Structures are given as structure tokens and as C-alpha cells.
Amino acid sequence: MIPSKKQLLFLLLLISLFSIYNFTIYTSKTDYGTIHLSKKAIQGENIWLKNNCNSCHQLYGLGGYLGPDLTNVYSNKNKNEYYLKAMLNSGVKSMPKFKFNNTEKEALIQFLKEVDQTGYYPNTKTEIKPNGWVSIKYKNENHDK
Ligand code: HEC
């Protein structure tokens, strides 16, 4: 079947709309600022990676499941920096005893602190709006998306 002029025009219209749609999606800027870790936190992240903490712990639910999720451990009201240091000093149950020096422990805690500032996990601080969008409460800002 040879398409009629009308059909070809319609097809052309669809292709144009699709292109405009894609252009808009891929060139629109999001309002999410990039998260920059401090130098100390990056040192902590490297220690985290080198010692494979993620094999037992999760950040934002991703990781191994032998130990607890550590996304918000820093701001947990029942725990504090001394508690975190104690955990790193002695290890408990299946948490191994690492032989970190003070600088390394502080870097790890700084890393956990800055991870904590990025958000909540699990994020229950959400609100479903009548227009169908979900408003998510972040630690430092409130994005209406
Ligand atoms: C072999 C598994 C394993 C590895 C590897 C591991 N942990 Fe753990 N960790 C655990 C377990 C299990 C617990 C829970 C102990 C308990 O309270 O009974 C824990 C607890 C913790 C806690 C306290 C969490 C809380 O909510 O009380 C912190 C902080 C922590 N780990 C940090 C780390 C860091 C940092 C690393 C990497 C340097 C690490 N862990 C590596 C298994 C592990």
C-alpha cells in the first residue's frame, strides 16, 4: 500500500512532536544540585570502599544485608559519634574488628555524616498531592516534583 499524502504528513507530524519531546526532556535542567563530599568525607568513602563495608551494610537500601542500613545512622537520636567510633573500634557480632587509626575513623564518620545529610532512607516523608505528583522531603530542601 502506498501511503497517501495525508498519512505521510501525519507521520511527519508525529516524528516532529517526538523530536521536540525528546529535545525538551534531554535539555531541560533539573533543580537537583550536585552533592559534593568534603575532602575528609571522600577519604572516608575510600576507606568504606577499600574495606568493603558495603558487603554487609547498605546505603539507600543498596548493599549487603548482614548489617543494618547506614544511610541515617549518623542522625539517629539513640546513637552519636562516640557510638559510631566504638563500633569501628571493637566490632560486634559479625561486624569485624577493623584496626583503623583515629584519622581513618573520623574520615569514615564524616562520610556517614555527609551521606546522612543527603536524604532519608527509607523515605517516608512524602506527600501525595491531589495533582498526582509526590512531594518528597529531603534533608536540606523540599523539592516539589
Ligand atoms: C562482615 C560484615 C560487616 C562488615 C564488612 C562491616 N560491618 Fe558494620 N556491622 C555489621 C553488623 C552485623 C552490625 C550490627 C551489629 C549489631 O548491632 O549487632 C554492624 C554495625 C555497624 C554499625 C552500627 C550500626 C547501628 O545502627 O548500630 C556501624 C556504624 C558500622 N557497622 C559501620 C561499618 C563500617 C564503616 C564498615 C566498613 C569499614 C563496616 N561496618 C563493615 C557487619 C559488618
Side-chain angles (χ1 to χ4, degrees):
M1 187 192 93
I2 301 164
S4 69
K5 230 177 180 175
K6 239 181 177 174
Q7 285 171 321
L8 278 175
L9 273 174
F10 184 64
L11 192 66
L12 206 67
L13 177 76
L14 285 181
I15 292 172
S16 322
L17 285 177
F18 182 69
S19 310
I20 293 168
Y21 171 77
N22 270 287
F23 181 79
T24 318
I25 297 262
Y26 289 108
T27 55
S28 64
K29 284 201 178 89
T30 57
D31 58 343
Y32 295 93
T34 319
I35 293 162
H36 294 287
L37 291 179
S38 68
K39 224 174 159 184
K40 197 170 163 189
I42 290 170
Q43 283 167 1
E45 183 184 25
N46 287 333
I47 301 168
W48 170 274
L49 293 172
K50 225 163 117 187
N51 291 280
N52 228 351
C53 310
N54 225 63
S55 62
C56 295
H57 292 284
Q58 313 96 61
L59 293 177
Y60 285 102
L62 295 174
Y65 284 87
L66 197 60
D69 189 289
L70 297 180
T71 315
N72 297 125
V73 72
Y74 186 87
S75 60
N76 188 318
K77 284 191 192 75
N78 303 318
K79 293 161 191 173
N80 55 30
E81 287 198 13
Y82 296 111
Y83 173 91
L84 297 180
K85 254 192 189 160
M87 279 287 173
L88 295 175
N89 281 337
S90 54
V92 263
K93 293 183 191 163
S94 18
M95 162 105 173
K97 181 174 177 164
F98 293 97
K99 292 197 171 79
F100 295 127
N101 63 35
N102 218 31
T103 322
E104 290 169 323
K105 277 179 265 178
E106 273 167 15
L108 268 171
I109 291 170
Q110 185 66 26
F111 172 63
L112 290 175
K113 179 181 178 180
E114 291 184 27
V115 165
D116 180 277
Q117 283 165 356
T118 61
Y120 300 103
Y121 182 84
N123 195 344
T124 49
K125 295 181 186 342
T126 52
E127 186 197 339
I128 298 170
K129 300 182 147 193
N131 64 6
W133 291 98
V134 177
S135 167
I136 300 172
K137 181 103 180 71
Y138 287 83
K139 282 259 154 132
N140 302 317
E141 61 252 284
N142 192 2
H143 291 294
D144 281 307
K145 277 264 150 182

